[in-house]
Amino acid sequence: MIIKVTILIMCGTFILGMAVAGITAGLGAVISSISNHHSNPKEK
Amino acid sequence: MKNIDFNILFQGISTLVHSETTVLITRISLILLGILLVYLGRKGILEALVMLPMGLGMAAINCGVLIMPDGNPGNIFVDALATDPIVILDKLQINFLQPIYTFMFSNGLIACLIFMGIGVLLDINFLLRRPFTSMFIALCAELGTFFTLPIAKAMGLGYGESASVAMIGGADGPMVLFTSMSLAKELFVPISVVAYLYLGLTYGLYPYLVKLMVPKKLRGIKMESPNNNKQFKPGTKITFAVLMCVILSILFPVASPLFLSLFVGVVIRESGLTSVINVIAGPILYGSTFFLGLMLGVLCDASILLNPKVLILLVLGVVALLLSGIGGILGGYAMYFFTKGKFNPVIGIAGVSCVPTTAKVAQKIVSKENPSALILADAMGANICGVITSALIAGIYITIIPLLG
């Protein structure tokens, strides 16, 4: 029982952790592209 | 003069002499341990800010036992076992540290204040540069937090106690305190004391673990990270903190005070509110850490530490931290192979949180082998992710473990 719970918690944490990393990377990329877009009006 | 009862006059000595042999030995041992902690804190071997008040508190509580009005031995420092509101109200007027325990400790406020201070000190720029690598390393460095849970259960601890002691693997003192206050209130004192004792010692011992697991030529690998000089705008960092706080609080409402404390610290830092930053990073962080040490010290009275489970906790604390260190380095190796030798595996140890100590340990080891190799930025990224993953696991444990019964 406890082994199963530990494995589930491990997998859950891994997925959540990677989701956090994904949000971080996505956020960084989106905000960078928005600020680049604003600083370079020719692209509009 | 004939009527003077020396047992009443010197109650500290009489309660010591008249106590049972086991209590007597434990009290004397704790007095000596307290003095040793003060010495080690003063010498800088253990963290002075925690160890000086903890050591002196431990010595004082075991000396200052007196006969209470009900005829039983007790103290006028704090009563951690009082639960009845009327008794607590009574104790608040007698025990000098009772207000701090009742209003700051038993509700986890002190852990949250320390976490807020940590949030103010975090520069999440390091995390935003290489989020996947940092997060992967940090997750690997939680090996001890995961595997100590079944080991502790197999050694006879309950689910809540096992999860609390497993949190030592996250190497984050306030997190251990918060989890054990939620899941194992009767053992939170020994678990927190073991955590703080080992955290101080482990940072001295992790370099040996790294040297044992990483050969000399790999320790000097120079990192080539194209993003190392990239600076994210405060707006990006605030958006990240707000999003993380909201998402994690929705997922784990029980641990939302921890998430709020951490991310409000980050938001304050990035907002540039200098006066608030100075208050949180100064008086609040240092004051809370000091009182945490003092409170843990005075809670170490013989009766609380005579629990036979303390010995198991001492073993499990080492196991948790050792496994996390090994997991972190293995994560570093995995990245080394993924990047075909361009990643320094020493960074793995920085995945074990407690900002910024393990990151500094990693940089120090690397600099010794190759003075031109700078890995601090990558190590700090893993380190900050370590704080987030520890909070994540604390949230998962506090939510799931009570369901197991």
Side-chain angles (χ1 to χ4, degrees), chain B residues 75 77-84 88 91-92 95-111 177 180-182 184-190 192 291-292 294-300 304:
Chain B
N75 64 70
F77 287 76
V78 68
D79 184 354
L81 302 174
T83 47
D84 183 45
I88 291 175
K91 297 284 180 189
L92 280 170
N95 298 334
F96 90 107
L97 284 172
Q98 194 73 39
I100 293 178
Y101 179 80
T102 306
F103 299 122
M104 289 185 75
F105 232 74
S106 57
N107 54 10
L109 173 62
I110 205 154
L177 184 71
S180 52
M181 288 295 286
S182 306
K185 210 159 185 179
E186 66 290 350
L187 272 187
F188 93 89
V189 177
S192 306
F291 277 109
L292 174 83
L294 186 64
M295 193 53 79
L296 285 177
V298 300
L299 287 171
C300 285
I304 288 181

mmCIF file of all heavy atoms in Angstrom, chain B residues 75 77-84 88 91-92 95-111 177 180-182 184-190 192 291-292 294-300 304:
data_model
loop_
_atom_site.group_PDB
_atom_site.id
_atom_site.type_symbol
_atom_site.label_atom_id
_atom_site.label_comp_id
_atom_site.label_asym_id
_atom_site.label_seq_id
_atom_site.Cartn_x
_atom_site.Cartn_y
_atom_site.Cartn_z
ATOM 1 N N ASN B 75 7.500 23.634 34.234
ATOM 2 C CA ASN B 75 8.350 24.803 33.988
ATOM 3 C C ASN B 75 7.478 26.014 33.700
ATOM 4 O O ASN B 75 6.265 25.876 33.497
ATOM 5 C CB ASN B 75 9.299 24.526 32.811
ATOM 6 C CG ASN B 75 8.548 24.322 31.515
ATOM 7 O OD1 ASN B 75 7.985 25.277 30.974
ATOM 8 N ND2 ASN B 75 8.494 23.096 31.013
ATOM 9 N N PHE B 77 8.223 28.119 31.164
ATOM 10 C CA PHE B 77 8.636 28.572 29.828
ATOM 11 C C PHE B 77 7.452 28.458 28.862
ATOM 12 O O PHE B 77 6.999 29.441 28.311
ATOM 13 C CB PHE B 77 9.788 27.700 29.302
ATOM 14 C CG PHE B 77 11.100 27.945 29.976
ATOM 15 C CD1 PHE B 77 11.348 27.462 31.248
ATOM 16 C CD2 PHE B 77 12.106 28.652 29.339
ATOM 17 C CE1 PHE B 77 12.563 27.682 31.873
ATOM 18 C CE2 PHE B 77 13.321 28.879 29.957
ATOM 19 C CZ PHE B 77 13.549 28.394 31.228
ATOM 20 N N VAL B 78 7.007 27.209 28.671
ATOM 21 C CA VAL B 78 5.935 26.952 27.703
ATOM 22 C C VAL B 78 5.303 25.586 27.986
ATOM 23 O O VAL B 78 5.977 24.693 28.513
ATOM 24 C CB VAL B 78 6.487 27.024 26.249
ATOM 25 C CG1 VAL B 78 7.440 25.895 25.948
ATOM 26 C CG2 VAL B 78 5.377 27.050 25.205
ATOM 27 N N ASP B 79 4.027 25.450 27.677
ATOM 28 C CA ASP B 79 3.372 24.148 27.778
ATOM 29 C C ASP B 79 2.811 23.810 26.397
ATOM 30 O O ASP B 79 1.772 24.328 25.987
ATOM 31 C CB ASP B 79 2.245 24.190 28.830
ATOM 32 C CG ASP B 79 1.603 22.826 29.035
ATOM 33 O OD1 ASP B 79 1.961 21.892 28.290
ATOM 34 O OD2 ASP B 79 0.758 22.701 29.939
ATOM 35 N N ALA B 80 3.545 22.941 25.704
ATOM 36 C CA ALA B 80 3.146 22.611 24.320
ATOM 37 C C ALA B 80 1.981 21.643 24.271
ATOM 38 O O ALA B 80 1.358 21.491 23.229
ATOM 39 C CB ALA B 80 4.343 22.027 23.577
ATOM 40 N N LEU B 81 1.727 20.990 25.383
ATOM 41 C CA LEU B 81 0.687 19.945 25.365
ATOM 42 C C LEU B 81 -0.699 20.472 25.736
ATOM 43 O O LEU B 81 -1.683 19.742 25.636
ATOM 44 C CB LEU B 81 1.082 18.799 26.310
ATOM 45 C CG LEU B 81 2.438 18.134 25.988
ATOM 46 C CD1 LEU B 81 2.798 17.115 27.050
ATOM 47 C CD2 LEU B 81 2.400 17.468 24.623
ATOM 48 N N ALA B 82 -0.762 21.738 26.178
ATOM 49 C CA ALA B 82 -2.064 22.289 26.574
ATOM 50 C C ALA B 82 -2.961 22.462 25.346
ATOM 51 O O ALA B 82 -2.555 23.064 24.351
ATOM 52 C CB ALA B 82 -1.855 23.631 27.262
ATOM 53 N N THR B 83 -4.162 21.900 25.414
ATOM 54 C CA THR B 83 -5.097 22.016 24.278
ATOM 55 C C THR B 83 -6.418 22.675 24.693
ATOM 56 O O THR B 83 -7.081 23.290 23.863
ATOM 57 C CB THR B 83 -5.420 20.618 23.679
ATOM 58 O OG1 THR B 83 -5.733 19.740 24.756
ATOM 59 C CG2 THR B 83 -4.261 20.060 22.885
ATOM 60 N N ASP B 84 -6.752 22.534 25.971
ATOM 61 C CA ASP B 84 -8.002 23.114 26.461
ATOM 62 C C ASP B 84 -7.894 24.650 26.474
ATOM 63 O O ASP B 84 -6.935 25.200 27.033
ATOM 64 C CB ASP B 84 -8.275 22.578 27.881
ATOM 65 C CG ASP B 84 -9.592 23.098 28.417
ATOM 66 O OD1 ASP B 84 -10.573 23.074 27.668
ATOM 67 O OD2 ASP B 84 -9.627 23.552 29.581
ATOM 68 N N ILE B 88 -5.047 26.971 28.228
ATOM 69 C CA ILE B 88 -4.144 27.799 27.411
ATOM 70 C C ILE B 88 -4.188 29.253 27.895
ATOM 71 O O ILE B 88 -3.143 29.902 28.045
ATOM 72 C CB ILE B 88 -4.511 27.706 25.907
ATOM 73 C CG1 ILE B 88 -4.192 26.302 25.376
ATOM 74 C CG2 ILE B 88 -3.760 28.749 25.085
ATOM 75 C CD1 ILE B 88 -4.603 26.041 23.947
ATOM 76 N N LYS B 91 -2.214 29.463 30.959
ATOM 77 C CA LYS B 91 -0.774 29.341 30.688
ATOM 78 C C LYS B 91 -0.216 30.613 30.048
ATOM 79 O O LYS B 91 0.941 30.962 30.257
ATOM 80 C CB LYS B 91 -0.509 28.153 29.739
ATOM 81 C CG LYS B 91 -0.898 26.805 30.289
ATOM 82 C CD LYS B 91 0.089 26.310 31.307
ATOM 83 C CE LYS B 91 -0.323 24.942 31.845
ATOM 84 N NZ LYS B 91 0.500 24.523 32.980
ATOM 85 N N LEU B 92 -1.064 31.288 29.268
ATOM 86 C CA LEU B 92 -0.608 32.523 28.600
ATOM 87 C C LEU B 92 -0.194 33.586 29.620
ATOM 88 O O LEU B 92 0.632 34.447 29.337
ATOM 89 C CB LEU B 92 -1.729 33.078 27.708
ATOM 90 C CG LEU B 92 -1.907 32.420 26.344
ATOM 91 C CD1 LEU B 92 -3.186 32.897 25.685
ATOM 92 C CD2 LEU B 92 -0.721 32.691 25.438
ATOM 93 N N ASN B 95 3.382 31.298 31.560
ATOM 94 C CA ASN B 95 4.589 30.903 30.804
ATOM 95 C C ASN B 95 5.035 32.026 29.869
ATOM 96 O O ASN B 95 4.255 32.462 29.020
ATOM 97 C CB ASN B 95 4.308 29.640 29.998
ATOM 98 C CG ASN B 95 3.971 28.467 30.888
ATOM 99 O OD1 ASN B 95 4.377 28.421 32.045
ATOM 100 N ND2 ASN B 95 3.217 27.532 30.362
ATOM 101 N N PHE B 96 6.298 32.423 29.997
ATOM 102 C CA PHE B 96 6.712 33.617 29.251
ATOM 103 C C PHE B 96 6.804 33.405 27.741
ATOM 104 O O PHE B 96 6.688 34.356 26.972
ATOM 105 C CB PHE B 96 8.012 34.199 29.844
ATOM 106 C CG PHE B 96 9.291 33.659 29.257
ATOM 107 C CD1 PHE B 96 10.044 34.446 28.410
ATOM 108 C CD2 PHE B 96 9.743 32.398 29.574
ATOM 109 C CE1 PHE B 96 11.234 33.979 27.883
ATOM 110 C CE2 PHE B 96 10.925 31.910 29.046
ATOM 111 C CZ PHE B 96 11.675 32.707 28.194
ATOM 112 N N LEU B 97 7.023 32.166 27.296
ATOM 113 C CA LEU B 97 7.074 31.934 25.847
ATOM 114 C C LEU B 97 5.762 31.365 25.292
ATOM 115 O O LEU B 97 5.675 31.085 24.098
ATOM 116 C CB LEU B 97 8.233 30.992 25.507
ATOM 117 C CG LEU B 97 9.627 31.624 25.552
ATOM 118 C CD1 LEU B 97 10.713 30.574 25.400
ATOM 119 C CD2 LEU B 97 9.789 32.694 24.469
ATOM 120 N N GLN B 98 4.776 31.209 26.164
ATOM 121 C CA GLN B 98 3.492 30.649 25.726
ATOM 122 C C GLN B 98 2.838 31.492 24.622
ATOM 123 O O GLN B 98 2.309 30.932 23.647
ATOM 124 C CB GLN B 98 2.536 30.499 26.910
ATOM 125 C CG GLN B 98 1.324 29.625 26.640
ATOM 126 C CD GLN B 98 1.673 28.138 26.565
ATOM 127 O OE1 GLN B 98 2.497 27.665 27.338
ATOM 128 N NE2 GLN B 98 1.079 27.415 25.632
ATOM 129 N N PRO B 99 2.865 32.848 24.727
ATOM 130 C CA PRO B 99 2.242 33.638 23.643
ATOM 131 C C PRO B 99 2.857 33.352 22.278
ATOM 132 O O PRO B 99 2.148 33.235 21.273
ATOM 133 C CB PRO B 99 2.502 35.094 24.065
ATOM 134 C CG PRO B 99 2.658 35.026 25.538
ATOM 135 C CD PRO B 99 3.316 33.717 25.822
ATOM 136 N N ILE B 100 4.189 33.203 22.241
ATOM 137 C CA ILE B 100 4.849 32.933 20.951
ATOM 138 C C ILE B 100 4.451 31.548 20.455
ATOM 139 O O ILE B 100 4.153 31.362 19.271
ATOM 140 C CB ILE B 100 6.379 33.078 21.075
ATOM 141 C CG1 ILE B 100 6.700 34.547 21.349
ATOM 142 C CG2 ILE B 100 7.092 32.592 19.819
ATOM 143 C CD1 ILE B 100 8.142 34.850 21.552
ATOM 144 N N TYR B 101 4.392 30.573 21.363
ATOM 145 C CA TYR B 101 4.014 29.214 20.946
ATOM 146 C C TYR B 101 2.566 29.185 20.448
ATOM 147 O O TYR B 101 2.275 28.654 19.379
ATOM 148 C CB TYR B 101 4.194 28.228 22.109
ATOM 149 C CG TYR B 101 3.790 26.829 21.708
ATOM 150 C CD1 TYR B 101 4.664 26.025 20.983
ATOM 151 C CD2 TYR B 101 2.518 26.343 21.988
ATOM 152 C CE1 TYR B 101 4.288 24.767 20.555
ATOM 153 C CE2 TYR B 101 2.134 25.078 21.564
ATOM 154 C CZ TYR B 101 3.027 24.294 20.849
ATOM 155 O OH TYR B 101 2.643 23.057 20.418
ATOM 156 N N THR B 102 1.672 29.781 21.234
ATOM 157 C CA THR B 102 0.241 29.693 20.903
ATOM 158 C C THR B 102 -0.112 30.491 19.652
ATOM 159 O O THR B 102 -0.868 30.017 18.804
ATOM 160 C CB THR B 102 -0.602 30.196 22.096
ATOM 161 O OG1 THR B 102 -0.200 29.464 23.247
ATOM 162 C CG2 THR B 102 -2.089 30.002 21.868
ATOM 163 N N PHE B 103 0.464 31.695 19.544
ATOM 164 C CA PHE B 103 0.044 32.567 18.439
ATOM 165 C C PHE B 103 0.948 32.494 17.205
ATOM 166 O O PHE B 103 0.621 33.039 16.155
ATOM 167 C CB PHE B 103 -0.055 34.015 18.931
ATOM 168 C CG PHE B 103 -1.063 34.191 20.037
ATOM 169 C CD1 PHE B 103 -0.696 34.703 21.269
ATOM 170 C CD2 PHE B 103 -2.387 33.815 19.855
ATOM 171 C CE1 PHE B 103 -1.621 34.851 22.293
ATOM 172 C CE2 PHE B 103 -3.316 33.954 20.871
ATOM 173 C CZ PHE B 103 -2.933 34.468 22.094
ATOM 174 N N MET B 104 2.129 31.876 17.337
ATOM 175 C CA MET B 104 3.026 31.838 16.173
ATOM 176 C C MET B 104 3.460 30.437 15.770
ATOM 177 O O MET B 104 3.807 30.204 14.617
ATOM 178 C CB MET B 104 4.288 32.661 16.450
ATOM 179 C CG MET B 104 4.044 34.147 16.493
ATOM 180 S SD MET B 104 5.566 35.049 16.661
ATOM 181 C CE MET B 104 6.254 34.916 15.034
ATOM 182 N N PHE B 105 3.489 29.525 16.737
ATOM 183 C CA PHE B 105 4.048 28.203 16.463
ATOM 184 C C PHE B 105 2.984 27.195 16.078
ATOM 185 O O PHE B 105 3.081 26.548 15.053
ATOM 186 C CB PHE B 105 4.795 27.723 17.709
ATOM 187 C CG PHE B 105 6.189 27.288 17.428
ATOM 188 C CD1 PHE B 105 7.175 28.221 17.166
ATOM 189 C CD2 PHE B 105 6.522 25.951 17.415
ATOM 190 C CE1 PHE B 105 8.464 27.834 16.895
ATOM 191 C CE2 PHE B 105 7.809 25.541 17.152
ATOM 192 C CZ PHE B 105 8.786 26.483 16.893
ATOM 193 N N SER B 106 1.975 27.098 16.945
ATOM 194 C CA SER B 106 0.994 26.015 16.758
ATOM 195 C C SER B 106 0.142 26.225 15.506
ATOM 196 O O SER B 106 -0.480 25.285 15.025
ATOM 197 C CB SER B 106 0.110 25.878 17.991
ATOM 198 O OG SER B 106 -0.530 27.092 18.252
ATOM 199 N N ASN B 107 0.122 27.443 14.961
ATOM 200 C CA ASN B 107 -0.644 27.667 13.729
ATOM 201 C C ASN B 107 0.263 27.768 12.493
ATOM 202 O O ASN B 107 -0.207 28.068 11.398
ATOM 203 C CB ASN B 107 -1.506 28.928 13.859
ATOM 204 C CG ASN B 107 -0.688 30.140 14.248
ATOM 205 O OD1 ASN B 107 0.534 30.079 14.247
ATOM 206 N ND2 ASN B 107 -1.340 31.233 14.584
ATOM 207 N N GLY B 108 1.564 27.541 12.667
ATOM 208 C CA GLY B 108 2.492 27.542 11.533
ATOM 209 C C GLY B 108 2.923 28.932 11.078
ATOM 210 O O GLY B 108 3.612 29.072 10.077
ATOM 211 N N LEU B 109 2.528 29.975 11.835
ATOM 212 C CA LEU B 109 2.861 31.346 11.411
ATOM 213 C C LEU B 109 4.369 31.561 11.297
ATOM 214 O O LEU B 109 4.842 32.172 10.345
ATOM 215 C CB LEU B 109 2.249 32.363 12.399
ATOM 216 C CG LEU B 109 2.635 33.823 12.202
ATOM 217 C CD1 LEU B 109 2.177 34.352 10.853
ATOM 218 C CD2 LEU B 109 2.052 34.715 13.306
ATOM 219 N N ILE B 110 5.112 31.007 12.265
ATOM 220 C CA ILE B 110 6.562 31.249 12.265
ATOM 221 C C ILE B 110 7.211 30.652 11.007
ATOM 222 O O ILE B 110 8.088 31.271 10.400
ATOM 223 C CB ILE B 110 7.206 30.739 13.582
ATOM 224 C CG1 ILE B 110 8.500 31.496 13.852
ATOM 225 C CG2 ILE B 110 7.451 29.242 13.596
ATOM 226 C CD1 ILE B 110 8.898 31.567 15.290
ATOM 227 N N ALA B 111 6.742 29.456 10.601
ATOM 228 C CA ALA B 111 7.277 28.830 9.387
ATOM 229 C C ALA B 111 6.943 29.698 8.172
ATOM 230 O O ALA B 111 7.770 29.884 7.274
ATOM 231 C CB ALA B 111 6.694 27.427 9.220
ATOM 232 N N LEU B 177 8.856 21.843 9.732
ATOM 233 C CA LEU B 177 8.061 22.318 10.875
ATOM 234 C C LEU B 177 6.578 22.384 10.501
ATOM 235 O O LEU B 177 5.725 21.873 11.232
ATOM 236 C CB LEU B 177 8.565 23.708 11.284
ATOM 237 C CG LEU B 177 7.915 24.331 12.507
ATOM 238 C CD1 LEU B 177 8.353 23.620 13.769
ATOM 239 C CD2 LEU B 177 8.276 25.810 12.614
ATOM 240 N N SER B 180 5.170 18.785 9.954
ATOM 241 C CA SER B 180 5.018 17.998 11.185
ATOM 242 C C SER B 180 3.957 18.604 12.104
ATOM 243 O O SER B 180 3.276 17.881 12.823
ATOM 244 C CB SER B 180 6.360 17.837 11.912
ATOM 245 O OG SER B 180 6.971 19.064 12.093
ATOM 246 N N MET B 181 3.796 19.937 12.052
ATOM 247 C CA MET B 181 2.723 20.556 12.844
ATOM 248 C C MET B 181 1.357 20.099 12.332
ATOM 249 O O MET B 181 0.407 19.974 13.084
ATOM 250 C CB MET B 181 2.776 22.086 12.757
ATOM 251 C CG MET B 181 3.910 22.745 13.497
ATOM 252 S SD MET B 181 3.861 22.576 15.253
ATOM 253 C CE MET B 181 2.566 23.671 15.684
ATOM 254 N N SER B 182 1.277 19.852 11.027
ATOM 255 C CA SER B 182 -0.004 19.439 10.435
ATOM 256 C C SER B 182 -0.251 17.946 10.581
ATOM 257 O O SER B 182 -1.384 17.525 10.795
ATOM 258 C CB SER B 182 -0.051 19.780 8.939
ATOM 259 O OG SER B 182 0.225 21.125 8.738
ATOM 260 N N ALA B 184 1.956 15.423 12.361
ATOM 261 C CA ALA B 184 2.432 14.646 13.518
ATOM 262 C C ALA B 184 2.719 15.589 14.680
ATOM 263 O O ALA B 184 3.864 15.766 15.079
ATOM 264 C CB ALA B 184 3.685 13.867 13.142
ATOM 265 N N LYS B 185 1.682 16.202 15.201
ATOM 266 C CA LYS B 185 1.851 17.246 16.221
ATOM 267 C C LYS B 185 2.587 16.730 17.460
ATOM 268 O O LYS B 185 3.356 17.462 18.081
ATOM 269 C CB LYS B 185 0.484 17.820 16.609
ATOM 270 C CG LYS B 185 0.593 19.266 17.038
ATOM 271 C CD LYS B 185 -0.696 20.002 16.954
ATOM 272 C CE LYS B 185 -0.423 21.469 17.303
ATOM 273 N NZ LYS B 185 -1.578 22.292 17.233
ATOM 274 N N GLU B 186 2.384 15.444 17.781
ATOM 275 C CA GLU B 186 3.013 14.912 18.999
ATOM 276 C C GLU B 186 4.516 14.682 18.823
ATOM 277 O O GLU B 186 5.241 14.541 19.793
ATOM 278 C CB GLU B 186 2.299 13.626 19.455
ATOM 279 C CG GLU B 186 2.394 12.400 18.559
ATOM 280 C CD GLU B 186 1.618 12.511 17.247
ATOM 281 O OE1 GLU B 186 0.820 13.461 17.047
ATOM 282 O OE2 GLU B 186 1.816 11.641 16.396
ATOM 283 N N LEU B 187 4.970 14.661 17.548
ATOM 284 C CA LEU B 187 6.404 14.428 17.308
ATOM 285 C C LEU B 187 7.083 15.615 16.632
ATOM 286 O O LEU B 187 8.214 15.503 16.201
ATOM 287 C CB LEU B 187 6.577 13.185 16.422
ATOM 288 C CG LEU B 187 6.666 11.818 17.103
ATOM 289 C CD1 LEU B 187 6.995 10.743 16.087
ATOM 290 C CD2 LEU B 187 7.686 11.791 18.212
ATOM 291 N N PHE B 188 6.365 16.763 16.556
ATOM 292 C CA PHE B 188 6.947 17.851 15.761
ATOM 293 C C PHE B 188 8.219 18.420 16.381
ATOM 294 O O PHE B 188 9.120 18.849 15.672
ATOM 295 C CB PHE B 188 5.911 18.957 15.487
ATOM 296 C CG PHE B 188 5.899 20.086 16.488
ATOM 297 C CD1 PHE B 188 6.721 21.184 16.309
ATOM 298 C CD2 PHE B 188 5.082 20.042 17.603
ATOM 299 C CE1 PHE B 188 6.716 22.226 17.222
ATOM 300 C CE2 PHE B 188 5.071 21.077 18.513
ATOM 301 C CZ PHE B 188 5.898 22.171 18.334
ATOM 302 N N VAL B 189 8.335 18.336 17.716
ATOM 303 C CA VAL B 189 9.544 18.878 18.358
ATOM 304 C C VAL B 189 10.768 18.042 17.971
ATOM 305 O O VAL B 189 11.715 18.583 17.385
ATOM 306 C CB VAL B 189 9.385 18.955 19.895
ATOM 307 C CG1 VAL B 189 10.674 19.442 20.536
ATOM 308 C CG2 VAL B 189 8.241 19.864 20.259
ATOM 309 N N PRO B 190 10.768 16.716 18.249
ATOM 310 C CA PRO B 190 11.970 15.962 17.870
ATOM 311 C C PRO B 190 12.239 15.989 16.364
ATOM 312 O O PRO B 190 13.401 16.094 15.962
ATOM 313 C CB PRO B 190 11.674 14.531 18.348
ATOM 314 C CG PRO B 190 10.266 14.491 18.742
ATOM 315 C CD PRO B 190 9.819 15.885 19.005
ATOM 316 N N SER B 192 11.580 18.397 14.175
ATOM 317 C CA SER B 192 12.148 19.695 13.791
ATOM 318 C C SER B 192 13.570 19.861 14.326
ATOM 319 O O SER B 192 14.443 20.378 13.625
ATOM 320 C CB SER B 192 11.281 20.841 14.312
ATOM 321 O OG SER B 192 9.964 20.665 13.888
ATOM 322 N N PHE B 291 13.535 33.124 17.108
ATOM 323 C CA PHE B 291 12.516 32.605 18.021
ATOM 324 C C PHE B 291 12.184 31.140 17.719
ATOM 325 O O PHE B 291 11.817 30.396 18.633
ATOM 326 C CB PHE B 291 11.254 33.476 17.998
ATOM 327 C CG PHE B 291 11.390 34.671 18.898
ATOM 328 C CD1 PHE B 291 11.532 35.943 18.378
ATOM 329 C CD2 PHE B 291 11.426 34.513 20.274
ATOM 330 C CE1 PHE B 291 11.696 37.039 19.207
ATOM 331 C CE2 PHE B 291 11.588 35.606 21.118
ATOM 332 C CZ PHE B 291 11.722 36.870 20.577
ATOM 333 N N LEU B 292 12.347 30.743 16.462
ATOM 334 C CA LEU B 292 12.167 29.334 16.120
ATOM 335 C C LEU B 292 13.209 28.494 16.864
ATOM 336 O O LEU B 292 12.888 27.476 17.483
ATOM 337 C CB LEU B 292 12.316 29.137 14.611
ATOM 338 C CG LEU B 292 12.300 27.694 14.123
ATOM 339 C CD1 LEU B 292 10.879 27.204 13.966
ATOM 340 C CD2 LEU B 292 13.025 27.548 12.813
ATOM 341 N N LEU B 294 14.910 29.339 19.579
ATOM 342 C CA LEU B 294 14.674 29.415 21.032
ATOM 343 C C LEU B 294 13.522 28.491 21.430
ATOM 344 O O LEU B 294 13.605 27.751 22.410
ATOM 345 C CB LEU B 294 14.349 30.865 21.415
ATOM 346 C CG LEU B 294 14.217 31.149 22.906
ATOM 347 C CD1 LEU B 294 15.531 30.910 23.639
ATOM 348 C CD2 LEU B 294 13.744 32.580 23.153
ATOM 349 N N MET B 295 12.453 28.523 20.635
ATOM 350 C CA MET B 295 11.267 27.733 20.958
ATOM 351 C C MET B 295 11.580 26.241 20.848
ATOM 352 O O MET B 295 11.192 25.462 21.715
ATOM 353 C CB MET B 295 10.137 28.131 19.994
ATOM 354 C CG MET B 295 8.787 27.648 20.389
ATOM 355 S SD MET B 295 8.317 28.089 22.045
ATOM 356 C CE MET B 295 7.848 29.766 21.815
ATOM 357 N N LEU B 296 12.305 25.839 19.781
ATOM 358 C CA LEU B 296 12.658 24.422 19.644
ATOM 359 C C LEU B 296 13.523 23.988 20.826
ATOM 360 O O LEU B 296 13.388 22.873 21.323
ATOM 361 C CB LEU B 296 13.401 24.171 18.326
ATOM 362 C CG LEU B 296 12.547 24.184 17.068
ATOM 363 C CD1 LEU B 296 13.407 23.997 15.831
ATOM 364 C CD2 LEU B 296 11.478 23.098 17.102
ATOM 365 N N GLY B 297 14.385 24.873 21.278
ATOM 366 C CA GLY B 297 15.242 24.569 22.434
ATOM 367 C C GLY B 297 14.426 24.334 23.691
ATOM 368 O O GLY B 297 14.583 23.319 24.367
ATOM 369 N N VAL B 298 13.507 25.259 23.989
ATOM 370 C CA VAL B 298 12.750 25.126 25.247
ATOM 371 C C VAL B 298 11.696 24.005 25.165
ATOM 372 O O VAL B 298 11.172 23.579 26.189
ATOM 373 C CB VAL B 298 12.085 26.448 25.715
ATOM 374 C CG1 VAL B 298 13.121 27.519 25.955
ATOM 375 C CG2 VAL B 298 11.019 26.919 24.762
ATOM 376 N N LEU B 299 11.415 23.565 23.948
ATOM 377 C CA LEU B 299 10.474 22.439 23.833
ATOM 378 C C LEU B 299 11.179 21.095 24.037
ATOM 379 O O LEU B 299 10.523 20.055 24.123
ATOM 380 C CB LEU B 299 9.788 22.459 22.460
ATOM 381 C CG LEU B 299 8.733 23.563 22.274
ATOM 382 C CD1 LEU B 299 8.283 23.629 20.832
ATOM 383 C CD2 LEU B 299 7.535 23.363 23.184
ATOM 384 N N CYS B 300 12.515 21.132 24.094
ATOM 385 C CA CYS B 300 13.280 19.886 24.256
ATOM 386 C C CYS B 300 13.381 19.481 25.714
ATOM 387 O O CYS B 300 14.485 19.318 26.231
ATOM 388 C CB CYS B 300 14.685 20.045 23.690
ATOM 389 S SG CYS B 300 14.735 20.008 21.937
ATOM 390 N N ILE B 304 9.436 15.110 26.694
ATOM 391 C CA ILE B 304 9.059 15.062 25.267
ATOM 392 C C ILE B 304 10.043 14.193 24.479
ATOM 393 O O ILE B 304 9.666 13.433 23.603
ATOM 394 C CB ILE B 304 8.968 16.494 24.681
ATOM 395 C CG1 ILE B 304 7.720 17.185 25.241
ATOM 396 C CG2 ILE B 304 8.928 16.486 23.158
ATOM 397 C CD1 ILE B 304 7.463 18.583 24.756
#
